[in-house]
Structure formats: structure tokens, C-alpha cells
Amino acid sequence: MSDRISKLTENLAQTIVGKDNAIRLVLVALISGGHALLEDVPGVGKTLLAKSLARSVNGKFQRIQCTPDLLPTDITGTNIWNPSSREFEFLPGPAFANVLLADEINRATPRTQSALLEVMEEHQVTVDGQARKVPQPFFVIATQNPIEYQGTFPLPEAQMDRFTLSLTLGYPSESEEMLMLQRQHNNISVDSLEPCISLEEVLNLQKQAQQVRVAPELQQYILNLVRASRTDEEIVLGVSPRGSVALQKATQAYALLNQRDYAIPDDVKFLAPHVLAHRLIPAGGKQGRTIVERLLRTIPVE
């Protein structure tokens, strides 16, 4: 499967220029069975990354443009009356996809945001009392603009906790942006990507990631990081136990991406800012990622 992982990474790099770390982080979220939150300004390739991933794994892609008037049924689907059969039929919503992009998720109302809670955690939606499973694998990439706050509804802690990791793409360098222009001029787009891995192989990767060994000493290191966040004076609310589990799963997936069947401390150190920072409520306007990086410097690997 290491060959498949390499091909998947190379496939995404055809459309996403110069963002190797971002690609690897998104793959970590996918292989760990979680979801990813992209916090960045418009126009840096967030939607392109989601489309490219769906195309590469030959999965069904759906996009939700979140707005204040978006309803929960616009995500989950609804029952409609069929006059010919004289009964209600279920019309699936965008949630019934392999890769679901929730664009500008913080522009949806809390009621609509909550519609994503069940499907992200349970991989099912409940409409009129009936639970329906979504296709597998199921992967949510949500985006939000960290600059514009007018007309937005900040995600509650319970919603943020559902994302395995958060990341930013950032602006490309001058040479990378020139390469983007050249590729666009040569008509290299997401539509030109060929699937390089099947959905069944993605599920197999997820199972293999669960078998990656995490030594008890490394598990203790993860616990020390998480528990330190709950007593740190610069943090109002620390990382939940779900964060501990998410960090371990992400560490296993990252080790698999690096063609290892065991995790090492460097895996945890690389992933911790992305997995833990968005789960914190910092005090005094401090940055969660800065706090996590400080914890990484002060807490030793035993």
C-alpha cells in the first residue's frame, strides 16, 4: 500500500502546488478516519484540494456552500411525497458522499452546523426518526475564513472537537505561483486527474493505520501533553479525551504515511499543533498553536 500512498500524494501535487505538508495532513485525517478543518483566506486552494482528493480516490464529491439560510435538511436530505406511489420517498442530501466539502462552515447557523455533528461522528443521518448510513469512506473537509467575522457563527467547542486536525494552506511562494499560472495555461486542472486508488483501498489503509504500534511510553507522552493543557494558566478549556484519541489515531496514520508500522515521538511533535490547537480555548487572546508549541518544548519524552 506504500506505493498507493505515494501515487495519491503525487496525484494531489499535480493540482496543489507547493503544499506538501498540507497534502500529508489531509491524508492523515482521511486515513485516521477523521475530518479536516481548513482555516485560511479565500483563493488559496481549499476547494481545489477537496475536489482533487475525491477525484484521486474515485469517490463521490459533494459541496455545501454554507449560508445563514441553509437548513439542516439541505445537508442530510429529506422525505418527499411521491404522488404516483402515494408514499414518502427519501431524497438524499449532500452528506451522502465520500468527500464532503462544507465551504465557509461558520456562515451556517448553529442549528445547521449541528446537522453535521451526527454524520461526522456516527457516519449516519437521522431524518424523521430513521437513521441512514452514509457511504464509506466518509470524509468531511470544512473551511472557514479566519479574517471575516461579520455574519458568521463561530463553531462551538463540540463541533471543533469533531475535526481530527486543523491546518492552513497559506499563500504560495513566487515560484510556486508562477508554476500555478503555467499549469493553468496548459489546462492542467482537477478534471484531468485520474483516480489512483480505490475506495476499498482507502478503507484498507484505515484498517492498516489502526494496526500501527504506539508504544506505552509514547502513549504516556500524548497523555502528558493533553493533561498539561487542562491545567495550564494560559488555557481556559483544555483538550478533551477525544483529543487524546484523535492525536493517537493521527500519529498512527502519519507513521503509515512514512511507511512505518510503529509511531515515534517526532510523529506526535509534528501533529500536536494541528490536532490540539483548535480544541483549546486560550486565555487573554493568545494563540492555541503557540501554546501547544510551548508545551512541546517543555514536556519531555520519557
Side-chain angles (χ1 to χ4, degrees):
M1 296 301 293
S2 60
D3 179 58
R4 294 297 186 188
I5 292 175
S6 298
K7 288 184 177 179
L8 181 55
T9 304
E10 293 169 4
N11 220 41
L12 293 174
Q14 292 184 44
T15 55
I16 309 299
V17 179
K19 302 300 177 185
D20 294 341
N21 274 346
I23 290 174
R24 294 180 73 80
L25 286 168
V26 168
L27 292 182
V28 164
L30 173 66
I31 295 173
S32 66
H35 311 284
L37 176 64
L38 275 64
E39 300 179 283
D40 220 324
V41 295
V44 294
K46 300 186 295 292
T47 302
L48 181 62
L49 177 57
K51 285 184 176 180
S52 300
L53 178 62
R55 184 89 173 181
S56 298
V57 302
N58 200 24
K60 182 179 181 182
F61 172 77
Q62 292 278 23
R63 179 178 182 272
I64 304 170
Q65 181 60 55
C66 296
T67 56
D69 59 349
L70 190 74
L71 298 175
T73 52
D74 294 329
I75 296 174
T76 61
T78 187
N79 289 310
I80 60 173
W81 177 255
N82 188 332
S84 58
S85 63
R86 300 186 62 82
E87 60 183 16
F88 283 98
E89 293 182 358
F90 180 68
L91 181 65
F96 288 83
N98 299 114
V99 178
L100 174 63
L101 173 64
D103 208 0
E104 294 187 294
I105 187 173
N106 55 335
R107 292 199 178 277
T109 62
R111 179 187 176 195
T112 303
Q113 290 175 10
S114 66
L116 284 170
L117 284 174
E118 179 186 17
V119 68
M120 290 175 66
E121 185 71 15
E122 306 294 337
H123 290 188
Q124 69 178 27
V125 299
T126 303
V127 178
D128 293 340
Q130 183 175 356
R132 301 176 187 271
K133 292 289 185 181
V134 295
Q136 295 300 313
F138 176 71
F139 181 53
V140 174
I141 297 181
T143 73
Q144 61 179 2
N145 185 344
I147 304 300
E148 296 180 0
Y149 292 103
Q150 186 173 359
T152 63
F153 303 87
L155 297 181
E157 288 70 32
Q159 181 84 13
M160 295 291 282
D161 216 18
R162 295 305 198 274
F163 291 100
T164 299
L165 51 80
S166 65
L167 67 147
T168 61
L169 295 179
Y171 288 116
S173 65
E174 183 178 353
S175 59
E176 291 167 351
E177 198 159 2
M178 174 59 74
L179 183 56
M180 289 171 53
L181 294 177
Q182 292 171 348
R183 290 186 178 182
Q184 189 275 335
H185 186 264
N186 294 326
N187 293 322
I188 299 177
S189 65
V190 65
D191 294 330
S192 65
L193 289 182
E194 293 293 334
C196 61
I197 185 173
S198 67
L199 295 175
E200 291 73 18
E201 287 172 322
V202 173
L203 292 173
N204 190 23
L205 281 173
Q206 292 178 346
K207 292 178 181 177
Q208 287 190 25
Q210 295 172 6
Q211 304 303 316
V212 171
R213 183 173 182 271
V214 182
E217 295 82 2
L218 193 54
Q219 290 178 320
Q220 186 62 54
Y221 179 53
I222 291 173
L223 280 180
N224 291 344
L225 284 172
V226 170
R227 296 182 70 84
S229 73
R230 300 171 189 167
T231 58
D232 194 281
E233 60 184 13
E234 292 186 345
I235 300 174
V236 176
L237 180 66
V239 178
S240 71
R242 184 186 284 117
S244 306
V245 175
L247 183 53
Q248 176 168 276
K249 287 184 175 180
T251 299
Q252 290 175 299
Y254 188 65
L256 186 65
L257 281 178
N258 287 284
Q259 302 181 24
R260 284 186 273 105
D261 61 358
Y262 59 92
I264 60 177
D266 284 347
D267 298 335
V268 176
K269 291 179 180 179
F270 173 74
L271 292 169
H274 301 284
V275 177
L276 303 182
H278 66 282
R279 304 173 191 271
L280 303 173
I281 299 183
K286 297 183 181 296
Q287 297 295 320
R289 186 156 300 183
T290 303
I291 296 174
V292 174
E293 290 171 351
R294 174 174 57 79
L295 292 177
L296 287 170
R297 291 192 302 266
T298 56
I299 296 177
V301 181
E302 298 179 356

